[in-house]
């Protein structure tokens, strides 16, 4: 699976949009971009994933550049509860439940008043 | 959404004893589950892939005789840390399901 690069940390004011970047310049054509987050002392939580089109769900939006070498996770109105480590992971979708994930260091997002 | 439950949430044990951690898929069947370990201020590291009805696949550097994995049913995988030592103290997390991996809440193991 392709390697990703994320900033170590980011701050965001509550109520503002949080834009979390991820570089994945070695991504291959059959690899998806996944985002998870981990609130302190909890298991990771799936947020969103995409292949090449932008995606949106109730949690966030995912913007993938046309060349697919980078992406941005957008939390439109960040709250204090969004404070967490956000992981960007690139991987193929495997059949048979083979969904092992390789976690990088992620971005520590701190949402402040 | 799918739920994966781990038990216990935390455990403290004496050095030399064994500890069993359970990972259950509550509303779906999981032929494959994954066990991760996370040390403080570090990322999750995959330990092993648990396969229902067959032997687990361990990542390089993970001792299979120390971290025993059993996946006897489609809804339960267990990780047993045998002869635990303080350096085994960590946050252990399991996951299951396909494209959208679902994770348990994690188990904080402290070996004293």
């Amino acid at each position: 699976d392709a390697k990703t690069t994320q900033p170590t940390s980011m701050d965001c004011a509550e109520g503002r949009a949080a834009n979390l970047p991820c570089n994945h310049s070695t991504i291959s054509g059959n690899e998806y971009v996944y985002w998870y987050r981990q609130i302190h002392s909890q298991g990771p939580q799936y947020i969103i994933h995409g292949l090449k089109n932008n995606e949106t769900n109730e949690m966030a939006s995912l913007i993938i550049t046309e060349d697919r070498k980078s992406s941005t996770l957008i939390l439109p109105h960040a709250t204090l509860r969004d404070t967490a480590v956000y992981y960007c992971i690139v991987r193929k979708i495997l059949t048979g439940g083979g969904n092992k994930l390789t976690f990088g260091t992620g971005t520590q997002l701190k949402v402040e008043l | 959404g799918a739920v994966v439950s781990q038990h216990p949430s935390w455990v403290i044990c004496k050095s030399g004893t064994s500890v069993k951690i359970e990972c259950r898929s509550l509303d779906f069947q999981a032929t494959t589950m994954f066990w991760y370990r996370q040390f403080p201020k570090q990322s999750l590291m995959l330990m092993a892939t648990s396969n229902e009805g067959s032997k687990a696949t361990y990542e390089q550097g993970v001792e299979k005789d120390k971290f025993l994995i059993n996946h006897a049913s489609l809804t339960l995988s267990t990780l047993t840390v045998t002869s635990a030592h303080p350096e085994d103290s960590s946050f252990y997390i399991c996951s299951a399901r396909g494209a959208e991996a679902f994770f348990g809440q994690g188990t904080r193991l402290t070996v004293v």
Side-chain angles (χ1 to χ4, degrees):
Chain A
D1 293 336
K3 183 179 177 180
T4 62
T5 304
Q6 298 177 252
T8 303
S9 64
M10 293 183 66
D11 293 335
C12 178
E14 189 177 35
R16 304 298 293 269
N19 298 298
L20 296 119
C22 179
N23 287 322
H24 31 80
S25 58
T26 60
I27 192 171
S28 60
N30 61 348
E31 289 181 314
Y32 289 69
V33 180
Y34 281 76
W35 283 84
Y36 293 83
R37 72 179 182 184
Q38 185 180 25
I39 296 170
H40 183 62
S41 293
Q42 296 183 24
Q45 176 189 21
Y46 165 83
I47 300 173
I48 199 168
H49 76 280
L51 182 62
K52 53 184 177 181
N53 297 322
N54 297 336
E55 302 287 345
T56 296
N57 62 20
E58 65 278 5
M59 290 184 68
S61 294
L62 173 61
I63 308 299
I64 303 174
T65 58
E66 192 169 342
D67 63 7
R68 303 209 322 124
K69 293 185 177 181
S70 65
S71 60
T72 301
L73 179 74
I74 301 172
L75 308 178
H77 305 287
T79 70
L80 298 178
R81 289 177 295 179
D82 292 322
T83 293
V85 177
Y86 287 77
Y87 295 100
C88 168
I89 298 173
V90 174
R91 58 175 282 261
K92 302 177 181 65
I93 289 187
L94 303 175
T95 59
N99 63 334
K100 75 176 184 180
L101 299 172
T102 301
F103 286 82
T105 53
T107 296
Q108 172 66 64
L109 175 68
K110 185 176 180 182
V111 181
E112 301 172 308
L113 293 172
Chain B
V3 178
V4 174
S5 177
Q6 267 183 257
H7 178 82
S9 297
W10 59 271
V11 57
I12 301 173
C13 71
K14 291 185 177 180
S15 186
T17 62
S18 295
V19 174
K20 179 185 286 188
I21 303 169
E22 294 185 346
C23 180
R24 293 181 184 274
S25 55
L26 298 185
D27 55 359
F28 65 97
Q29 294 181 333
T31 56
T32 304
M33 290 186 178
F34 298 88
W35 287 95
Y36 295 83
R37 179 169 55 181
Q38 185 176 34
F39 292 108
K41 298 189 183 300
Q42 294 187 23
S43 190
L44 285 78
M45 294 296 294
L46 179 67
M47 298 176 66
T49 303
S50 173
N51 304 299
E52 188 268 336
S54 65
K55 292 182 178 180
T57 304
Y58 291 81
E59 295 298 302
Q60 191 173 9
V62 178
E63 299 175 60
K64 62 180 181 180
D65 294 329
K66 181 169 183 63
F67 299 98
L68 300 179
I69 291 173
N70 184 279
H71 194 154
S73 79
L74 289 171
T75 59
L76 174 64
S77 175
T78 61
L79 169 68
T80 301
V81 183
T82 62
S83 186
H85 288 93
E87 58 265 31
D88 298 322
S89 297
S90 189
F91 192 52
Y92 292 86
I93 307 166
C94 68
S95 78
R97 207 63 189 269
E100 301 171 18
F102 294 96
F103 291 83
Q105 65 268 46
T107 298
R108 176 76 58 194
L109 170 63
T110 302
V111 185
V112 298

